[in-house]
Amino acid sequence: MSIILARITYAMFFVFLGYFLLLSAFYFFLSFVGFFEGRKRSWESEEEDYPLIYLSGIAIPVTIVIPARNEEAWIRDSLLSVLNLNYPKFEVIIVDDGSQDNTFGVVDAMLKLRPIDIPYIKHYKDGLVHAIFKSEKYPHVTVIRKQAGVKKAGSVNSGLNMARNEYICVVDADTVLDPNALLKVMACVEREPGKVVGVGSYFGLANDLKIKDGRVIERNLSFNPIIAYQNLEYIRSFIGNRIGWSKYNAMPVVAGGFSMWRRDILHALGGFSADFTCEDIEFTFRAHAYLAKNKDKDHKIIMLPYAVGWTEGPGNFRSLISQRSRWQRVTDETVAHYKYMIFNPGYGSFAFLTIPYFLFYEVFGVFFEIGSIIFVIAGWALGMLDIRTFFAFILLMVLSQAVISLFSIFSFIRVQRIFRPRYIIYLIVLSFVEFLWYRWIISAAKLLGTYTFFRGVKEHNQYQRVKRVKV
Amino acid sequence: MYNYHTDLVFKIDIALLGVFILLGVMTVLYALMKEASSRRRSREISNIKNNVYELILSGQKIDNKLCLPAFSGITPRQFLDAAVNRSREAVFFNESEQKVIKQCFLSAERAARIEKTAGRSWNKWRRIEAILSLGYAQSVSSLGVLKKSINDSDADLSYFSIIALGQIHSIASARILLDFLKSSRFHRHKVIAVLETFPKEIGREAVLLTHAKDPEVSSWAIKLISKLKPEGCLKEITGLLQDNSEEVRAAACACLGELGDREAKGALIKCLNDDLWLVRAHAVKALSKLLGKECLPEVIRLINDPSLSVIDSLKGVLAEHIVSAIPYLEKFLSGSDEISRRVAREVLEVAGYIVKMLKDILSSGDEEKIRAVRLLEGMAKSGAHFGLEAALMSFSGEEQERILTVIRNMDKQMAEHIAKHMAGEMHKPL
């Protein structure tokens, strides 16, 4: 019996070791590619002639859709930031998705709304629309009031039904945009308008930032470890990971907080789907599948390193677990739905790079991570592993995670000047100890997400909003 | 006991630890260096600003001799920072200061050096900086270098050469850009965005491109013509209304509207019967631009067009000339066609005519009053309500009651509905 156990322990040791080494190698590769790609984008942005775009008579018009549900704390700043955007041609559509709080009242007070009676054609599934309003103060702003129940996808689809422009930008109602966000993103689109079908960009966490009238007036980033760890994760995900994917046109997700899509693609795909827990990752997968099927090899779904805005992140563990379990669930749902693409040559780099990674790390990674820690502790407790091997393995887990984070931080500060040196040192320290505690909270959330996936839960549970301090 | 290769794992750990420490130190040092370099950059720009300021204050005629001592060490990057106001938050250069710096930047010797960098440097971004600085310094003698770089196989070099050429507002630079538009499939949008800032004369050059084999090139050229509006190109553009490509025909329609020559009226009216909706939609808008309210008798027949986009164009035109459009809208409201009724309601709404209509109901002028009541009746019968409620809000309580009485006489249920919503229920949470 003990021989069999020893053999199993021996085999498992190398399985887990292989997992961490493979994952680290993969991340190093992506960070390396992302470093150069991010640097290229940063140069492009520095040399771009933005006034030429701003003053152009042929600037590409954009429709900004803001889905809002119970966002009374954020909607004012979010909306003001959108109204203050430096871009010549854009319209704004706010969709009040059956808010139970005073979201509509805040919007009404800001915009001076008047109801209008215009045809509303349902191209995309959105639920019952009650009324449509126009702002008397800002003629380019429309507000739709609808009944809740078709998730965020339904709200965005409502906006799409009213949208008139060639590019659609979806912005979360708790996101405050940088005044030049649209200009920077559209500069990239205008370079290849026929090719760019989707664009995402980095955004940071707004918690503890001083925001007044839609503008960030003090960028003192939060030292609260929950927020700082999320900042670290955003950097790892956006800069250390997605920019690398973007280089190979294999971007797995254009994040819903700020996403830009070409309207013909949205139309061809029938808008966003409410059949999944969240809409962003599934839509990105669907867009890749559609474009590959139609042999559109020139298309690009790209990720930019510019800080386009700031969004609210969960302020406590309960909210964090709720959000992350939702993210895990939608990842599982999407990968399960699009499993037919894996290693299918028709889907190019997306099938050979992105989906295997998703399956390996995003879906099954949590089992490897939790399994590995249980394995080393049990192996040591049962005397199968000696103390040196135990420590060597634990150190490997800690360091591989820390080095991955550090690569991303380095790439990030190469292209951004958001973080001050003190904050960078803080993030480096946090990255070293991440595996000792924070990682397991996220793993627990992922386990919960996987469990709810198998139970077939699909609801989009909104976590509790942080109370905002008035500036 | 199995061999777990613990020593090997420890060696990997040590390697990772080494990478971690190295990367950590590099990251912190890099962040500090970046802060310092940013401060240095601001300082350098401030010094340039001071030099420019002193030159302006000296009141002397600015020539190379005067410029040389103050600007001998300036790099393309510093020049761009100043000329394009890249560091506007730290140091801002006004127009006259930018003029001086552009004048002083390019001595013959420096121009040769920068041209060499623009043409041959191994560092692509240094090349781009050199290309841009030649453009922003409006170095006409460097057009040869820029012509070469615009046709470079590297997309970035080509793109920034377009921007550089756009800064040299000359016929020669425009010709290079138009040649590029014709020969390359890339950055066409940018070429037109750059060229639209050029003088009118360039338009004549663009006319030559309207007969290009590639319809995309033709339509971009037509778009440029509609921005620049050169004289004497009406015949060529009218001829393009017969082109095989719908894209070209639509662009030609829009262009004729922008050119504003009434001679194009007949040709545009013919386009209202085009097989493709894109052309019809553009023809409607163009006729409105060309003829103003006089276009209504011609375009109104497209109310039954199968394309929603054409109807959208028509709605815009009707709203723009709302007073003249009222008789048509009345007819639509009293008709049986649901689409026409909806169009009429929406036009009244979008044009903000409803408040005027309600004011007319309260007025003493008989003719106005009768017309307004007839229009209101048409709206009531066609089921419009939201627009009325909002418009009523701007009247006093007594006036509201008078108008509601008129509505009550037409449709009791609707009057109640409006009164209920005006009590504020519409703005409460759902």
Side-chain angles (χ1 to χ4, degrees):
Chain A
M1 182 67 186
S2 69
I3 292 171
I4 294 168
L5 205 62
R7 275 188 183 168
I8 291 171
T9 309
Y10 187 67
M12 291 306 283
F13 178 82
F14 287 102
V15 167
F16 290 130
L17 185 70
Y19 169 80
F20 281 104
L21 291 178
L22 197 61
L23 185 68
S24 303
F26 202 73
Y27 259 97
F28 292 155
F29 168 70
L30 277 183
S31 301
F32 189 73
V33 174
F35 176 80
F36 289 102
E37 185 68 4
R39 206 175 66 146
K40 178 185 177 299
R41 297 286 181 200
S42 164
W43 275 109
E44 277 175 10
S45 175
E46 184 157 349
E47 308 295 2
E48 184 58 77
D49 186 351
Y50 288 112
L52 183 69
I53 299 170
Y54 185 74
L55 298 171
S56 170
I58 57 164
I60 301 173
V62 178
T63 295
I64 299 174
V65 178
I66 309 176
R69 178 167 166 74
N70 299 334
E71 294 287 3
E72 64 173 348
W74 279 93
I75 191 73
R76 185 177 175 277
D77 279 314
S78 174
L79 192 49
L80 280 173
S81 76
V82 169
L83 295 172
N84 286 333
L85 283 172
N86 297 324
Y87 193 71
K89 288 181 192 170
F90 70 96
E91 62 169 356
V92 184
I93 300 172
I94 303 148
V95 185
D96 176 20
D97 190 22
S99 294
Q100 298 297 312
D101 64 359
N102 193 32
T103 302
F104 184 78
V106 175
V107 174
D108 190 15
M110 278 176 74
L111 303 175
K112 231 180 144 198
L113 297 174
R114 72 184 165 90
I116 54 165
D117 185 23
I118 54 170
Y120 179 85
I121 300 163
K122 284 177 180 280
H123 295 292
Y124 318 104
K125 191 182 170 190
D126 63 345
L128 182 66
V129 168
H130 290 289
I132 300 166
F133 301 82
K134 268 270 172 206
S135 166
E136 286 187 354
K137 269 172 92 178
Y138 305 94
H140 61 304
V141 181
T142 306
V143 177
I144 300 172
R145 286 198 95 182
K146 68 178 279 288
Q147 197 163 302
V150 197
K151 300 182 192 162
K152 185 183 159 191
S155 305
V156 182
N157 286 345
S158 278
L160 293 183
N161 284 330
M162 291 288 290
R164 287 174 176 268
N165 293 330
E166 204 178 326
Y167 277 84
I168 311 291
C169 179
V170 182
V171 179
D172 275 356
D174 60 355
T175 301
V176 173
L177 293 185
D178 181 85
N180 294 321
L182 208 50
L183 199 59
K184 286 190 168 185
V185 172
M186 288 311 288
C188 194
V189 172
E190 281 197 6
R191 292 181 73 164
E192 302 168 293
K195 291 184 183 175
V196 179
V197 295
V199 192
S201 197
Y202 168 81
F203 49 85
L205 285 175
N207 302 52
D208 295 351
L209 295 187
K210 280 191 180 167
I211 297 169
K212 196 180 177 192
D213 297 334
R215 283 183 191 270
V216 177
I217 51 171
E218 254 184 56
R219 270 190 197 165
N220 288 332
L221 291 148
S222 178
F223 277 82
N224 173 349
I226 301 178
I227 309 298
Y229 267 121
Q230 287 178 71
N231 266 323
L232 188 61
E233 283 180 301
Y234 275 42
I235 294 171
R236 219 161 40 209
S237 168
F238 285 98
I239 306 293
N241 194 328
R242 290 184 203 171
I243 292 186
W245 293 120
S246 166
K247 166 85 180 164
Y248 296 104
N249 204 17
M251 255 269 281
V253 55
V254 179
F258 179 93
S259 58
M260 178 84 73
W261 289 100
R262 213 170 64 194
R263 193 170 154 200
D264 59 339
I265 294 297
L266 286 162
H267 190 70
L269 295 176
F272 292 93
S273 170
D275 296 338
F276 295 77
T277 301
C278 306
E279 74 302 323
D280 50 2
I281 177 169
E282 187 278 332
F283 187 80
T284 315
F285 270 61
R286 193 148 43 106
H288 277 292
Y290 170 80
L291 291 161
K293 255 187 209 166
N294 286 282
K295 312 244 180 267
D296 183 351
K297 284 181 183 164
D298 281 345
H299 78 272
K300 284 183 179 175
I301 297 175
I302 52 179
M303 176 72 199
L304 300 172
Y306 320 133
V308 287
W310 304 89
T311 192
E312 194 203 10
N316 55 48
F317 286 122
R318 198 191 162 123
S319 303
L320 182 69
I321 288 170
S322 161
Q323 185 198 53
R324 294 311 161 89
S325 67
R326 173 158 51 87
W327 288 4
Q328 180 65 34
R329 198 191 320 143
V330 71
T331 303
D332 293 347
E333 286 167 6
T334 309
V335 173
H337 189 82
Y338 292 96
K339 56 182 180 294
Y340 64 88
M341 286 167 79
I342 193 163
F343 297 127
N344 185 332
Y347 298 101
S349 49
F350 197 74
F352 285 93
L353 270 176
T354 311
I355 307 189
Y357 160 82
F358 257 67
L359 197 65
F360 177 66
Y361 178 65
E362 300 288 355
V363 175
F364 294 122
V366 61
F367 299 111
F368 278 108
E369 283 171 16
I370 292 180
S372 62
I373 199 77
I374 293 172
F375 158 77
V376 285
I377 292 172
W380 172 63
L382 294 171
M384 301 287 174
L385 294 176
D386 62 24
I387 190 80
R388 277 188 76 232
T389 312
F390 174 78
F391 275 118
F393 195 81
I394 294 280
L395 203 57
L396 182 98
M397 291 198 285
V398 170
L399 284 168
S400 61
Q401 181 71 39
V403 172
I404 286 166
S405 299
L406 222 57
F407 262 119
S408 305
I409 296 173
F410 187 69
S411 298
F412 185 72
I413 60 161
R414 176 68 187 78
V415 294
Q416 287 289 346
R417 280 189 58 215
I418 293 169
F419 297 162
R420 300 214 171 107
R422 203 158 61 108
Y423 199 73
I424 293 168
I425 294 170
Y426 182 59
L427 287 185
I428 293 172
V429 174
L430 287 186
S431 71
F432 191 73
V433 294
E434 183 179 357
F435 213 84
L436 301 180
W437 69 288
Y438 182 79
R439 189 78 192 161
W440 303 111
I441 295 165
I442 299 300
S443 294
K446 283 182 168 186
L447 265 189
L448 185 65
T450 309
Y451 170 68
T452 51
F453 162 69
F454 282 115
R455 281 192 56 203
V457 176
K458 291 208 170 169
E459 70 187 54
H460 183 127
N461 44 337
Q462 194 177 27
Y463 60 84
Q464 201 190 349
R465 292 291 187 229
V466 182
K467 268 202 171 178
R468 293 189 62 198
V469 182
K470 278 201 172 176
V471 178
Chain B
M1 198 79 174
Y2 287 97
N3 180 5
Y4 282 94
H5 302 285
T6 309
D7 289 339
L8 180 66
V9 179
F10 262 125
K11 276 179 188 161
I12 297 171
D13 286 346
I14 288 165
L16 283 173
L17 190 65
V19 173
F20 181 80
I21 292 168
L22 188 73
L23 214 55
V25 172
M26 265 171 67
T27 306
V28 175
L29 282 179
Y30 188 81
L32 291 170
M33 268 166 56
K34 210 172 171 184
E35 290 259 314
S37 112
S38 156
R39 276 198 296 269
R40 199 182 59 230
R41 197 167 163 180
S42 298
R43 244 188 347 258
E44 285 165 356
I45 298 297
S46 295
N47 288 340
I48 293 171
K49 169 128 179 155
N50 288 340
N51 290 342
V52 172
Y53 195 61
E54 276 172 22
L55 268 182
I56 293 172
L57 274 188
S58 72
Q60 296 178 56
K61 190 172 177 281
I62 292 163
D63 55 18
N64 268 348
K65 206 174 155 191
L66 196 68
C67 285
L68 203 62
F71 295 97
S72 58
I74 187 170
T75 62
R77 168 176 273 217
Q78 287 166 343
F79 167 71
L80 288 172
D81 280 349
V84 195
N85 264 324
R86 278 172 174 179
S87 316
R88 75 170 55 229
E89 282 148 28
V91 187
F92 182 80
F93 286 79
N94 63 29
E95 228 172 273
S96 58
E97 288 163 347
Q98 283 180 336
K99 200 175 157 192
V100 170
I101 199 159
K102 282 178 185 176
Q103 223 173 323
C104 282
F105 179 63
L106 274 192
S107 62
E109 190 197 331
R110 186 184 281 135
R113 216 170 45 230
I114 294 176
E115 278 179 15
K116 202 174 154 191
T117 311
R120 266 184 283 171
S121 173
W122 61 270
N123 182 330
K124 182 171 97 176
W125 294 101
R126 193 156 286 175
R127 268 183 86 179
I128 287 170
E129 265 179 358
I131 286 167
L132 285 174
S133 54
L134 289 173
Y136 281 100
Q138 291 169 339
S139 170
V140 182
S141 59
S142 309
L143 284 176
V145 176
L146 296 178
K147 188 177 179 178
K148 212 172 154 194
S149 59
I150 198 176
N151 291 307
D152 198 285
S153 56
D154 185 285
D156 291 320
L157 280 170
S158 170
Y159 179 81
F160 288 106
S161 302
I162 294 171
I163 294 177
L165 281 162
Q167 294 300 319
I168 308 171
H169 275 236
S170 71
I171 301 268
S173 65
R175 278 191 187 136
I176 297 174
L177 287 165
L178 287 169
D179 280 346
F180 179 75
L181 181 75
K182 196 175 159 186
S183 61
S184 166
R185 285 195 308 117
F186 304 106
H187 308 314
R188 283 176 174 163
H189 187 276
K190 198 71 190 179
V191 171
I192 300 301
V194 162
L195 282 172
E196 68 172 333
T197 63
F198 273 57
K200 219 177 181 178
E201 295 75 56
I202 307 304
R204 287 299 321 162
E205 305 276 328
V207 173
L208 303 174
L209 280 188
T210 55
H211 296 289
K213 278 182 189 165
D214 182 354
E216 210 189 315
V217 173
S218 304
S219 42
W220 277 117
I222 299 167
K223 276 178 199 163
L224 181 61
I225 293 165
S226 48
K227 297 280 169 198
L228 297 173
K229 299 179 187 165
E231 279 151 22
C233 59
L234 186 75
K235 207 176 152 194
E236 281 100 332
I237 304 296
T238 311
L240 292 169
L241 294 176
Q242 311 298 325
D243 198 277
N244 288 333
S245 155
E246 71 269 19
E247 215 180 313
V248 172
R249 293 203 302 278
C253 283
C255 184
L256 288 172
E258 292 291 337
L259 292 177
D261 193 324
R262 284 186 167 233
E263 268 186 45
K265 181 184 163 184
L268 280 173
I269 289 173
K270 273 187 195 163
C271 287
L272 294 175
N273 299 320
D274 197 285
D275 290 342
L276 279 148
W277 66 267
L278 185 69
V279 183
R280 295 199 300 276
H282 278 86
V284 170
K285 285 185 205 161
L287 277 166
S288 167
K289 281 220 161 181
L290 199 66
L291 306 175
K293 61 184 180 185
E294 288 169 36
C295 75
L296 292 177
E298 301 295 341
V299 299
I300 205 75
R301 61 191 153 99
L302 293 183
I303 188 78
N304 296 318
D305 197 280
S307 160
L308 280 176
S309 301
V310 176
I311 293 178
D312 265 349
S313 293
L314 181 62
K315 277 192 282 198
V317 171
L318 290 170
E320 206 178 329
H321 312 293
I322 184 71
V323 177
S324 308
I326 290 295
Y328 299 107
L329 300 181
E330 272 180 16
K331 205 174 141 192
F332 294 154
L333 283 171
S334 58
S336 58
D337 180 43
E338 177 53 25
I339 292 180
S340 309
R341 288 211 306 256
R342 277 169 75 168
V343 168
R345 266 162 29 203
E346 195 184 336
V347 169
L348 287 168
E349 178 66 56
V350 172
Y353 194 79
I354 293 172
V355 173
K356 181 177 175 344
M357 179 187 72
L358 297 179
K359 273 183 187 164
D360 285 351
I361 288 174
L362 299 172
S363 75
S364 52
D366 277 350
E367 201 184 317
E368 285 166 357
K369 199 171 175 174
I370 291 166
R371 170 169 277 191
V373 171
R374 207 166 56 218
L375 205 56
L376 182 62
E377 202 168 359
M379 282 187 73
K381 276 183 186 163
S382 70
H385 50 89
F386 280 143
L388 285 175
E389 290 146 9
L392 269 169
M393 296 287 195
S394 56
F395 290 87
S396 69
E398 186 221 348
E399 287 169 333
Q400 282 177 6
E401 197 42 51
R402 277 171 63 195
I403 295 166
L404 276 173
T405 309
V406 175
I407 299 172
R408 211 167 278 128
N409 290 337
M410 295 170 189
D411 186 335
K412 201 176 170 186
Q413 213 178 350
M414 184 176 160
E416 275 169 21
H417 177 87
I418 291 172
K420 188 177 136 193
H421 276 266
M422 279 172 61
E425 288 185 17
M426 202 159 48
H427 288 238
K428 283 179 188 167
L430 294 169

